[in-house]
PDB file of all heavy atoms in Angstrom:
ATOM      1  N   ALA A  36     -31.503 -21.543   5.454  1.00 89.00           N
ATOM      2  CA  ALA A  36     -30.540 -21.486   6.556  1.00 89.00           C
ATOM      3  C   ALA A  36     -29.254 -22.228   6.194  1.00 89.00           C
ATOM      4  O   ALA A  36     -28.151 -21.786   6.525  1.00 89.00           O
ATOM      5  CB  ALA A  36     -31.155 -22.071   7.819  1.00 89.00           C
ATOM      6  N   ARG A  37     -29.381 -23.366   5.528  1.00 91.00           N
ATOM      7  CA  ARG A  37     -28.194 -24.122   5.128  1.00 91.00           C
ATOM      8  C   ARG A  37     -27.367 -23.356   4.095  1.00 91.00           C
ATOM      9  O   ARG A  37     -26.136 -23.383   4.135  1.00 91.00           O
ATOM     10  CB  ARG A  37     -28.606 -25.481   4.571  1.00 91.00           C
ATOM     11  CG  ARG A  37     -29.067 -26.461   5.653  1.00 91.00           C
ATOM     12  CD  ARG A  37     -29.749 -27.665   5.069  1.00 91.00           C
ATOM     13  NE  ARG A  37     -30.196 -28.585   6.117  1.00 91.00           N
ATOM     14  CZ  ARG A  37     -31.108 -29.538   5.938  1.00 91.00           C
ATOM     15  NH1 ARG A  37     -31.673 -29.690   4.732  1.00 91.00           N
ATOM     16  NH2 ARG A  37     -31.442 -30.326   6.934  1.00 91.00           N
ATOM     17  N   CYS A  38     -28.031 -22.672   3.180  1.00 94.00           N
ATOM     18  CA  CYS A  38     -27.310 -21.832   2.202  1.00 94.00           C
ATOM     19  C   CYS A  38     -26.551 -20.712   2.903  1.00 94.00           C
ATOM     20  O   CYS A  38     -25.397 -20.420   2.567  1.00 94.00           O
ATOM     21  CB  CYS A  38     -28.284 -21.254   1.184  1.00 94.00           C
ATOM     22  SG  CYS A  38     -28.958 -22.471   0.027  1.00 94.00           S
ATOM     23  N   GLU A  39     -27.213 -20.104   3.896  1.00 92.00           N
ATOM     24  CA  GLU A  39     -26.551 -19.026   4.640  1.00 92.00           C
ATOM     25  C   GLU A  39     -25.355 -19.569   5.409  1.00 92.00           C
ATOM     26  O   GLU A  39     -24.297 -18.922   5.460  1.00 92.00           O
ATOM     27  CB  GLU A  39     -27.549 -18.379   5.604  1.00 92.00           C
ATOM     28  CG  GLU A  39     -26.958 -17.200   6.374  1.00 92.00           C
ATOM     29  CD  GLU A  39     -27.972 -16.541   7.298  1.00 92.00           C
ATOM     30  OE1 GLU A  39     -29.149 -16.968   7.292  1.00 92.00           O
ATOM     31  OE2 GLU A  39     -27.575 -15.611   8.029  1.00 92.00           O
ATOM     32  N   ARG A  40     -25.498 -20.755   6.004  1.00 93.00           N
ATOM     33  CA  ARG A  40     -24.375 -21.363   6.730  1.00 93.00           C
ATOM     34  C   ARG A  40     -23.209 -21.654   5.791  1.00 93.00           C
ATOM     35  O   ARG A  40     -22.047 -21.405   6.128  1.00 93.00           O
ATOM     36  CB  ARG A  40     -24.841 -22.653   7.398  1.00 93.00           C
ATOM     37  CG  ARG A  40     -23.746 -23.366   8.193  1.00 93.00           C
ATOM     38  CD  ARG A  40     -24.189 -24.744   8.617  1.00 93.00           C
ATOM     39  NE  ARG A  40     -24.531 -25.575   7.458  1.00 93.00           N
ATOM     40  CZ  ARG A  40     -25.090 -26.783   7.559  1.00 93.00           C
ATOM     41  NH1 ARG A  40     -25.393 -27.284   8.733  1.00 93.00           N
ATOM     42  NH2 ARG A  40     -25.366 -27.476   6.458  1.00 93.00           N
ATOM     43  N   ASP A  41     -23.505 -22.163   4.592  1.00 94.00           N
ATOM     44  CA  ASP A  41     -22.439 -22.454   3.630  1.00 94.00           C
ATOM     45  C   ASP A  41     -21.726 -21.177   3.193  1.00 94.00           C
ATOM     46  O   ASP A  41     -20.501 -21.160   3.036  1.00 94.00           O
ATOM     47  CB  ASP A  41     -23.024 -23.179   2.418  1.00 94.00           C
ATOM     48  CG  ASP A  41     -23.545 -24.570   2.762  1.00 94.00           C
ATOM     49  OD1 ASP A  41     -23.146 -25.093   3.814  1.00 94.00           O
ATOM     50  OD2 ASP A  41     -24.373 -25.105   1.984  1.00 94.00           O
ATOM     51  N   GLU A  42     -22.492 -20.110   2.983  1.00 95.00           N
ATOM     52  CA  GLU A  42     -21.882 -18.827   2.601  1.00 95.00           C
ATOM     53  C   GLU A  42     -20.973 -18.310   3.704  1.00 95.00           C
ATOM     54  O   GLU A  42     -19.874 -17.812   3.442  1.00 95.00           O
ATOM     55  CB  GLU A  42     -22.974 -17.810   2.291  1.00 95.00           C
ATOM     56  CG  GLU A  42     -23.744 -18.096   1.006  1.00 95.00           C
ATOM     57  CD  GLU A  42     -24.879 -17.121   0.789  1.00 95.00           C
ATOM     58  OE1 GLU A  42     -25.064 -16.234   1.653  1.00 95.00           O
ATOM     59  OE2 GLU A  42     -25.593 -17.236  -0.229  1.00 95.00           O
ATOM     60  N   LEU A  43     -21.428 -18.427   4.946  1.00 93.00           N
ATOM     61  CA  LEU A  43     -20.601 -17.981   6.073  1.00 93.00           C
ATOM     62  C   LEU A  43     -19.338 -18.823   6.179  1.00 93.00           C
ATOM     63  O   LEU A  43     -18.251 -18.298   6.477  1.00 93.00           O
ATOM     64  CB  LEU A  43     -21.406 -18.055   7.376  1.00 93.00           C
ATOM     65  CG  LEU A  43     -22.515 -17.024   7.547  1.00 93.00           C
ATOM     66  CD1 LEU A  43     -23.354 -17.353   8.776  1.00 93.00           C
ATOM     67  CD2 LEU A  43     -21.946 -15.618   7.674  1.00 93.00           C
ATOM     68  N   SER A  44     -19.452 -20.124   5.930  1.00 94.00           N
ATOM     69  CA  SER A  44     -18.277 -20.995   5.998  1.00 94.00           C
ATOM     70  C   SER A  44     -17.266 -20.649   4.909  1.00 94.00           C
ATOM     71  O   SER A  44     -16.057 -20.607   5.165  1.00 94.00           O
ATOM     72  CB  SER A  44     -18.715 -22.460   5.852  1.00 94.00           C
ATOM     73  OG  SER A  44     -19.558 -22.841   6.918  1.00 94.00           O
ATOM     74  N   VAL A 412     -26.686 -19.511  13.219  1.00 91.00           N
ATOM     75  CA  VAL A 412     -27.373 -20.177  12.112  1.00 91.00           C
ATOM     76  C   VAL A 412     -27.457 -21.684  12.366  1.00 91.00           C
ATOM     77  O   VAL A 412     -28.494 -22.319  12.084  1.00 91.00           O
ATOM     78  CB  VAL A 412     -26.649 -19.889  10.785  1.00 91.00           C
ATOM     79  CG1 VAL A 412     -27.248 -20.725   9.659  1.00 91.00           C
ATOM     80  CG2 VAL A 412     -26.758 -18.406  10.432  1.00 91.00           C
ATOM     81  N   GLU A 413     -26.387 -22.277  12.915  1.00 91.00           N
ATOM     82  CA  GLU A 413     -26.417 -23.709  13.209  1.00 91.00           C
ATOM     83  C   GLU A 413     -27.461 -24.022  14.282  1.00 91.00           C
ATOM     84  O   GLU A 413     -28.159 -25.048  14.204  1.00 91.00           O
ATOM     85  CB  GLU A 413     -25.035 -24.180  13.649  1.00 91.00           C
ATOM     86  CG  GLU A 413     -24.034 -24.246  12.488  1.00 91.00           C
ATOM     87  CD  GLU A 413     -22.632 -24.577  12.952  1.00 91.00           C
ATOM     88  OE1 GLU A 413     -22.396 -24.519  14.182  1.00 91.00           O
ATOM     89  OE2 GLU A 413     -21.777 -24.875  12.093  1.00 91.00           O
ATOM     90  N   ILE A 416     -30.738 -23.909  12.551  1.00 87.00           N
ATOM     91  CA  ILE A 416     -30.965 -25.134  11.784  1.00 87.00           C
ATOM     92  C   ILE A 416     -31.357 -26.279  12.705  1.00 87.00           C
ATOM     93  O   ILE A 416     -32.251 -27.080  12.395  1.00 87.00           O
ATOM     94  CB  ILE A 416     -29.699 -25.487  10.970  1.00 87.00           C
ATOM     95  CG1 ILE A 416     -29.472 -24.442   9.875  1.00 87.00           C
ATOM     96  CG2 ILE A 416     -29.803 -26.882  10.373  1.00 87.00           C
ATOM     97  CD1 ILE A 416     -28.172 -24.620   9.120  1.00 87.00           C
TER      98      ILE A 416
END
Side-chain angles (χ1 to χ4, degrees):
R37 286 167 181 162
C38 289
E39 183 178 357
R40 180 190 59 188
D41 293 341
E42 290 176 359
L43 289 171
S44 297
V412 173
E413 287 174 348
I416 292 174

